[in-house]
Amino acid sequence: MIYDQAEFAVRCEWGAQGVAQLAPISDVVIIVDVLSFTTCVDIAVGCGATVYPYGFRNDSARTYAVAVDALLANHRREAGGYTLSPASLATIPAGTRIVLPSPNGSTLSVSTGATPTLAGCLRNAQTVAAAARTFGERIAGVPAGERWRDGSLRPAWEDWVGAGAIIAHLPGAHSPEAAAALAAFMAARDNLAAWMRGCSSGKELIEDGFAQDVELAAALNASRVAPRLHLGAYRAGATVP
């Protein structure tokens, strides 16, 4: 297939079509949604919580949370309690089970089928790359992106750079798409926090009062956890000292 980058060990493609094209022919998929789903997963799992991704923001999410005996996070950051704000999850108690709906990273997570799936972000880039290599050489990075108001995909700078940060630790032949993500990360690496504050998603969150979320998301390799999706939930699939 022209679009599956199968001739390369390390692949990278955006959003739902990225999952559809790459997951079936890869040993592992890494979902990257830096602001903020996979950053939330990293922080919550690092605290010992279990995170259930869910793709719909309606009453069915509440029904699902009851079915899996979990709390339901609010997709609105300003709602208080546990939300898609990484800061809201920073002190979540170990053992907590939480459903975290989102239209991007969460939705992609539940569409990878039988392919092993990891939640990657800037915080855990090196650890997730190491965990991905344990599944095989064929590794797919999928930056989730955001949504324009009409529902179409908005390629998000932070997800492209987040994918590149992970790819920086992956050997093997890189597809041109993977190489481009790596180049984006290398260009931003020395000024990562400032560029995160200046990108569209970062500016939006800062304007809405969530500057701490941007700072948490920009903390390169601050985490030593590689959340793996297993039996419908992200758990600590791997840790390093």
Side-chain angles (χ1 to χ4, degrees), residues 81-238:
Y82 298 131
T83 72
L84 271 173
S85 163
S88 76
L89 299 163
T91 58
I92 191 169
T96 303
R97 298 158 63 92
I98 187 166
V99 174
L100 191 61
S102 91
N104 301 307
S106 192
T107 299
L108 297 183
S109 296
V110 299
S111 68
T112 57
T115 306
T117 302
L118 302 172
C121 59
L122 289 165
R123 293 179 57 85
N124 64 15
Q126 185 172 0
T127 302
V128 162
R133 293 173 63 185
T134 67
F135 293 97
E137 298 180 351
R138 302 177 302 167
I139 300 172
V142 179
E146 296 293 335
R147 298 285 169 183
W148 293 110
R149 293 187 182 218
D150 65 0
S152 61
L153 174 69
R154 174 171 73 81
W157 176 87
E158 68 277 6
D159 294 346
W160 194 229
V161 168
I166 297 166
I167 290 166
H169 300 283
L170 295 176
H174 293 176
S175 72
E177 293 84 354
L182 173 58
F185 166 68
M186 296 301 291
R189 182 176 57 178
D190 291 340
N191 295 290
L192 196 55
W195 285 30
M196 282 283 285
R197 292 190 294 268
C199 73
S200 295
S201 300
K203 290 189 293 184
E204 179 182 26
L205 287 177
I206 291 168
E207 183 176 306
D208 290 343
F210 296 99
Q212 186 181 4
D213 287 348
V214 180
E215 298 305 316
L216 285 169
L220 181 64
N221 293 325
S223 169
R224 296 295 180 264
V225 176
R228 181 185 176 186
L229 189 65
H230 181 62
L231 298 177
Y234 281 109
R235 300 173 173 86

Side-chain angles (χ1 to χ4, degrees), residues 67-92:
V68 297
D69 190 26
L71 302 175
L72 175 62
N74 198 311
H75 70 274
R76 295 170 52 248
R77 282 178 168 82
E78 65 274 15
Y82 298 131
T83 72
L84 271 173
S85 163
S88 76
L89 299 163
T91 58
I92 191 169

